[in-house]
Amino acid sequence: MTSYARPSSEPVQDAAFHHPAFFYTTEEDYLGGVGDFVRAHADRGHPVLVAVPEERLSLLQGVFGAACEGVTWVDMRQAGRNPGRILSMLQEFADRHADRRPAIVGEPIWPDRTPAEACEATRHEALINLAFAGRHATILCPYDTALPERIRAQAHRTHPVLGGPGEERPSEHYADPLAVCRDCDEPLPEPAEPLVLHFGEEDLGGVRDAATDWAVAAGLSPRRRTDWLLAVSEATCNSVRHGGGSGTLRLWPAAGALVAETRDRGRPADPLVGRRRPDPLSAAGGRGVWMMHQLCDLVELRVLPSGLVVRLHMTLDPPPHDGAG
Amino acid sequence: MHGTSAIASGESAVDRHAAVVFSSDAEWADHLVAFVRAGIDRDEQVRYFADSTDPGRVTRTLDERGVDAASAVRRGQLLVITAGQTYLSGARFDPDTMIGLWHEAVEAATARGHRGLRAIGEMSWGARDIAGADRLLEYELRIHHEVFARLPLCAWCFYDRRLVPRTDLEVLAAAHLARTGIADCHDRADGPALSVAPLAGRPGFRLSGSAGYENRHVTASALAALTASPAQDVTLDLSALDHLDVAALAGIARAAHRRSAVAPVRLLGAPPALRRMLELFPELGGVMEVAGR
C-alpha cells in the first residue's frame, strides 16, 4: 500500500468527533462490536442511528427489538443505495440531536456492492471526516472481512481509529480526506456507443427533451422518468452555470440501468457540495447536486485536470413478470 | 388570434389590451388610423406614445388618411407625445409607476368628459439598453388585472418586427390576451420555449413550455407579476408546462412568501416534476396549494 505520510495527512485526534472502523467476520463479532456500541450509547441516553444493510439490521433488531427507545433503524441498502446520499442523512440526524452527542452506526459497503459503488462509498467515508470535524458525534463503520482487500485497505485510510469498543487503536494509514478523494478519481470505463450531445445554455431544453425521449425508448419506467429528467436537468444546468458555460452529455444503457454523463470544465471548490440537505430557497447551497444524489441510484464523480465528470445511474425497473406481482 | 376590428370594438378587458405586431410602415399606418378614428368616433381621449416614430409623422399620417388630427389635437382629444417625455423620463422604467400613471390618465380623460381613454404605445424602447427595460414583460403581464380589468382603457402595444428581436417579441406578444399580426405561439414548434399570459377569468398567469435555467428571465418576470398581484387569490396554471426546475419551484415559493395576501398560491395542472420536488423539499409546499393535473 502506498504511504501517504505528509504533514497534512497526519491523523487528527479530534476530541469531539470519533470515527472508528470495526472489522467483523461472524455474526457473533457483529453483535459483540456493533451491539455493544448501540447498547452503550443507548444506555447513556445518546440518540443512536443504526444504518446498516437489511440483514444486519434484522440481526441487531433480534437482540434489541425493533422499538428500542432512542434507536433509529435504517436499511442502508435502501437509504444508502447511492453512497453519495448517505452523508446528508447522517448530518441530518446529527443536526437534529446536536446537543446530545449522537452516535451513528454507518455500514456503507457490503459484499455485493459494485466496484463503482464501493469507490463512491470510500469517497463518502473520507468526506465524513471533513463534514464532522469538530462536531460532538461518533460514527462507527462496520466492515465485513469478506470484502476485498482493496476496500478494507481504504477503510484504514478513511478512519482515524480502528477496532471495536474497548479495543481501539489509531489507524497508521489514516490519510488526508482530500487525498483519498483524489485517489477515488480513477479513470472510468468508456461506454461502447453512447449518444453524444454537446450543449450550451440555449440547448438545455433540447437536451432535456432528447434525454427524456432516449430514456423512454430505452425502457425507463414512467415512475423513474421524472427522476431522470430532474437529475439530467440539474447536471446539465450545473455545466452551464459552473462548468464553463457548456458541456457534453453522453447517454448509454448499462446492465439493468441507464447512464447519463456530463463533462464540463468545472472545478468544484467544495468537496462537500451536495452532501448536506440544502435550503431549497438558497441557490448557493449545492441544491442541484444534492437532488442528483437523492434521485439517482448511483452518482459517480471525477474531478479531472480537464474538469468535472458526473455519471448518473438510474436502474430500470424489473419487468412485471420478474416482480412480486 | 383577434382581428383588428375585433380588438377595436371589444369591451372586455381581454380585448382592450392588445399586442399589435407589424413589419412595414403601411401596416403601421393602417393600425394607427383605424385605432384613432374609432376613438374619436366614440368620444374617447386618444394618446399616442411615440418612441421610434417622429410625433409629427403620426399626425401627418392621420391627416393624409382623412382623420382630422389637427382639430382633435386642438380640442385636447388627441395627444401625440413621446415615451421619453413621459413614462421613460425617470431614472428607469418602473411598472408600479406606470400602473399609477394609467389610473391618473384615465381619471384625467373622464374628468374632461371623455367616455374613456385609448392609447397606443410604441414598445421598441424595450429592445434598447434602457434601465428597467428588463421589467417590460412583468409590466405587460400585470396590467391585464391591475389596469384593464379596472379601468375604461383600451391600449394597443405596437411591436415593430424591424426593431424588436423575434424571440423577445414573441414572448412579449404572448403576454397579451389579444394579438394581431402574430400567430398564437403555442401552436408552433418554433415558438418561444417558455411563454406566460395572464388568465382571462381570474387573477393569475399561465405558463407554457419549459421553465428551465435557459428561460429563467421569463420565469422571473412571471413570478415578479405574481408577487405584485394585489388579488387575494391568485392562480398559476401550469398545465401547459413540460418541465420546471428547482430554481423555478423555489421562485414560486419565494413569490408566494412575499405576497401581501395570506392565501396560498393555487397551482393548477402541476407537472410531475413539481410534485417530485415537493417530496424532496416539502417545506416549499406550505405557501402553495397544488391542484390536479
Side-chain angles (χ1 to χ4, degrees):
Chain A
M1 188 170 163
T2 323
S3 169
Y4 293 91
R6 57 189 186 88
S8 65
S9 66
E10 287 299 313
V12 179
Q13 292 305 320
D14 187 330
F17 180 53
H18 193 52
H19 184 205
F22 166 66
F23 293 89
Y24 67 92
T25 303
T26 64
E27 290 192 348
E28 288 70 33
D29 293 347
Y30 202 83
L31 287 173
V34 179
D36 284 0
F37 175 89
V38 172
R39 188 173 297 108
H41 283 281
D43 286 351
R44 274 178 271 167
H46 299 160
V48 182
L49 171 67
V50 180
V52 300
E54 194 261 336
E55 63 277 14
R56 302 279 169 227
L57 206 60
S58 306
L59 183 68
L60 291 167
Q61 286 177 335
V63 175
F64 288 90
C68 182
E69 198 185 341
V71 181
T72 305
W73 308 98
V74 170
D75 177 8
M76 193 65 121
R77 280 184 190 272
Q78 294 300 320
R81 173 164 193 160
N82 170 19
R85 69 168 93 113
I86 301 173
L87 190 44
S88 176
M89 172 176 70
L90 306 190
Q91 296 202 78
E92 215 171 333
F93 181 82
D95 289 348
R96 207 158 51 238
H97 305 289
D99 55 343
R100 293 175 53 212
R101 245 213 114 96
I104 295 170
V105 182
E107 186 168 358
I109 308 180
W110 44 88
D112 55 348
R113 276 284 206 196
T114 65
E117 290 170 351
C119 175
E120 293 305 323
T122 293
R123 188 192 304 274
H124 149 74
E125 286 279 36
L127 291 174
I128 282 182
N129 298 305
L130 292 180
F132 276 86
R135 299 181 66 169
H136 286 276
T138 301
I139 303 178
L140 176 75
C141 302
Y143 278 80
D144 191 332
T145 53
L147 289 167
E149 157 61 21
R150 186 170 167 276
I151 290 173
R152 285 182 283 129
Q154 290 291 358
H156 285 249
R157 300 180 66 210
T158 54
H159 294 80
V161 178
L162 305 175
E167 48 189 41
E168 290 177 353
R169 62 186 193 282
S171 171
E172 289 172 27
H173 299 289
Y174 179 68
D176 176 357
L178 295 179
V180 177
C181 288
R182 277 196 295 276
D183 293 339
C184 290
D185 290 335
E186 56 197 20
L188 290 161
E190 268 296 295
E193 287 179 353
L195 175 64
V196 181
L197 301 161
H198 301 286
F199 60 90
E201 182 177 331
E202 68 281 7
D203 310 307
L204 286 173
V207 161
R208 281 196 305 270
D209 291 346
T212 303
D213 293 347
W214 179 87
V216 170
L220 192 64
S221 68
R223 195 175 64 84
R224 298 308 303 276
R225 279 174 209 165
T226 305
D227 288 358
W228 171 263
L229 170 63
L230 283 169
V232 170
S233 167
E234 291 301 324
T236 51
C237 173
N238 273 355
S239 289
V240 168
R241 291 183 65 196
H242 310 297
S246 62
T248 303
L249 177 69
R250 300 198 298 170
L251 307 167
W252 67 93
L258 303 183
V259 185
E261 176 200 80
T262 56
R263 283 177 184 262
D264 58 47
R265 283 167 286 157
R267 302 288 302 176
D270 178 6
L272 290 171
V273 68
R275 308 268 170 169
R276 173 187 274 280
R277 193 176 190 287
D279 172 2
L281 293 171
S282 165
R287 204 167 49 182
V289 180
W290 183 84
M291 282 176 61
M292 288 179 232
H293 281 308
Q294 303 302 311
L295 295 165
C296 298
D297 298 307
L298 173 66
V299 177
E300 293 180 277
L301 299 171
R302 295 293 183 272
V303 183
L304 305 176
S306 57
L308 180 67
V309 180
V310 178
R311 276 192 185 179
L312 309 170
H313 297 244
M314 198 153 288
T315 309
L316 292 162
D317 283 341
H321 56 83
D322 285 348
Chain B
M1 192 178 125
H2 298 259
T4 306
S5 57
I7 295 169
S9 61
E11 289 298 329
S12 86
V14 166
D15 294 324
R16 286 187 284 103
H17 175 217
V20 175
V21 180
F22 55 87
S23 49
S24 71
D25 290 359
E27 287 176 73
W28 167 79
D30 287 346
H31 292 306
L32 165 72
V33 172
F35 187 80
V36 175
R37 181 174 281 137
I40 291 175
D41 289 351
R42 291 155 62 103
D43 197 20
E44 293 169 338
Q45 190 181 50
V46 183
R47 296 190 183 199
Y48 189 104
F49 296 93
D51 179 59
S52 58
T53 310
D54 174 59
R57 205 176 127 229
V58 175
T59 45
R60 269 200 313 280
T61 303
L62 289 166
D63 281 330
E64 286 163 14
R65 303 279 192 112
V67 177
D68 187 357
S71 302
V73 169
R74 268 197 308 279
R75 290 196 302 274
Q77 190 177 5
L78 173 64
L79 284 80
V80 182
I81 39 198
T82 67
Q85 289 163 341
T86 52
Y87 62 89
L88 291 181
S89 63
R92 57 190 308 115
F93 172 73
D94 178 17
D96 290 289
T97 307
M98 270 307 287
I99 288 167
L101 288 175
W102 281 125
H103 283 263
E104 288 170 20
V106 170
E107 202 172 303
T110 49
R112 286 177 49 89
H114 295 291
R115 290 176 58 196
L117 176 66
R118 60 171 48 210
I120 287 173
E122 292 184 357
M123 309 309 289
S124 39
W125 58 267
R128 290 202 305 275
D129 188 18
I130 284 174
D134 57 331
R135 296 187 70 185
L136 176 56
L137 177 58
E138 171 199 340
Y139 165 73
E140 292 281 30
L141 289 168
R142 285 175 60 181
I143 55 180
H144 175 75
H145 297 293
E146 296 185 49
V147 176
F148 292 89
R150 300 170 175 205
L151 297 176
L153 170 67
C154 174
W156 284 5
C157 302
F158 270 20
Y159 284 98
D160 188 336
R161 285 189 188 277
R162 296 166 295 185
L163 300 173
V164 183
R166 190 180 71 92
T167 311
D168 295 350
L169 185 143
E170 297 209 322
V171 172
L172 288 161
H176 301 71
L177 292 174
R179 293 176 290 274
T180 188
I182 188 165
D184 190 334
C185 60
H186 311 310
D187 299 342
R188 301 197 335 265
D190 63 343
L194 178 64
S195 62
V196 196
L199 296 177
R202 52 179 152 179
F205 306 94
R206 175 180 167 87
L207 276 70
S208 307
S210 186
Y213 178 75
E214 70 282 11
N215 299 318
R216 63 195 177 282
H217 300 300
V218 175
T219 306
S221 295
L223 296 177
L226 179 79
T227 306
S229 169
Q232 186 65 29
D233 294 300
V234 60
T235 299
L236 269 189
D237 182 346
L238 308 179
S239 53
L241 203 57
D242 305 323
H243 173 70
L244 83 168
D245 63 10
V246 68
L249 176 64
I252 294 173
R254 209 176 286 117
H257 270 297
R258 286 182 187 155
R259 275 169 46 75
S260 51
V262 290
V265 171
R266 186 173 154 79
L267 304 182
L268 217 57
L274 184 138
R275 290 171 188 277
R276 185 68 175 103
M277 288 189 286
L278 284 181
E279 287 173 15
L280 295 175
F281 299 112
E283 63 267 49
L284 294 180
V287 287
M288 35 187 109
E289 177 195 320
V290 183
R293 186 167 175 103

